[in-house]
Amino acid sequence: ENGGRGRDRDRAGNGRKQQGGAGGKNAPPPSSAVASSSRAVKQLPRLRVTGCSDATVRDMVEGTYSGLCFNHSRPVWKRESREGEIAEFDVLIYFWDDRDGDEQCGWWFGPSIGGEMVWAYHPSKTSKSPPSSEWSVPYDGLVDEGFRLEAIGAAGASKPKSPAAPKASAPRSASASPAADAEADGDDASGNEDTALDEEADRLAV
């Protein structure tokens, strides 16, 4: 079976439906929607999962994740392969809405979207991205207090730009006071700091 401590939910009669529901094939989305979705996926931050207390689940879910696609209007992330790893199955983080009941609604870790095997669960119905803590591991167990999920920047983020060469400063006016010069220098430093903070916030936004 895929992945250790997960459970085959269909055996209890409570399995989630596979993506797309029962019966018939969904019409393919228009090309413009596919292109838009692809751009949105590239903008998703990478995620890092750490601190899982369950030894079996830990080996599967901990690691770095990158954006894959969207499901039920929320992003899906896939764990990146570790160095030298030959993965037997995918590890995904995805959202499932309440179409199959409230008990199925929330964020999940599993090898496939809407599949029977799941490893961890968070019941949030409103979060647009996976919550950072309070995940149940295994999915029907207690909340793992050490489990953490954090954003670490976009997968396609550009490298920091090299600092521009300093501009030659114009000669100061003889009438300018040292206090005025100091105030101007302080304004420049404050502006640079605010810009750096804004860029960092944008980079880590989920």
Side-chain angles (χ1 to χ4, degrees):
E1 288 187 355
N2 285 346
R5 292 289 295 279
R7 179 176 298 175
D8 185 341
R9 302 187 67 152
D10 274 347
R11 293 175 184 171
N14 296 318
R16 293 191 307 283
K17 294 178 181 178
Q18 294 291 332
Q19 189 177 12
K25 293 183 179 180
N26 294 328
S31 58
S32 59
V34 173
S36 177
S37 176
S38 178
R39 286 193 297 269
V41 167
K42 290 180 180 179
Q43 296 302 314
L44 291 173
R46 296 167 75 210
L47 305 177
R48 179 185 293 128
V49 175
T50 58
C52 181
S53 300
D54 186 294
T56 304
V57 176
R58 179 193 307 140
D59 291 339
M60 293 179 290
V61 304
E62 286 196 355
T64 302
Y65 291 71
S66 54
L68 177 66
C69 61
F70 286 81
N71 181 68
H72 294 183
S73 302
R74 310 285 170 90
V76 176
W77 281 265
K78 177 182 175 181
R79 183 170 66 77
E80 299 173 3
S81 297
R82 301 164 182 145
E83 185 176 356
E85 177 185 44
I86 301 177
E88 297 180 2
F89 49 85
D90 293 333
V91 182
L92 308 178
I93 307 173
Y94 64 92
F95 179 80
W96 195 264
D97 63 21
D98 60 1
R99 67 187 62 191
D100 295 322
D102 286 344
E103 72 280 1
Q104 305 286 354
C105 184
W107 287 91
W108 300 86
F109 279 78
S112 61
I113 297 173
E116 301 165 2
M117 186 68 66
V118 289
W119 301 305
Y121 170 66
H122 195 291
S124 175
K125 298 175 175 61
T126 58
S127 178
K128 298 300 182 182
S129 59
S132 61
S133 60
E134 299 185 354
W135 288 78
S136 295
V137 184
Y139 81 93
D140 56 352
L142 299 176
V143 169
D144 185 340
E145 300 295 343
F147 194 99
R148 290 292 181 271
L149 188 154
E150 61 178 334
I152 57 174
S158 59
K159 296 180 180 179
K161 295 181 180 179
S162 301
K167 295 181 180 179
S169 57
R172 293 181 177 176
S173 171
S175 60
S177 68
D181 291 341
E183 182 177 353
D185 291 343
D187 289 343
D188 290 342
S190 176
N192 291 337
E193 182 178 354
D194 288 343
T195 300
L197 289 174
D198 289 343
E199 290 176 350
E200 182 69 7
D202 290 340
R203 187 178 72 83
L204 296 178
V206 176

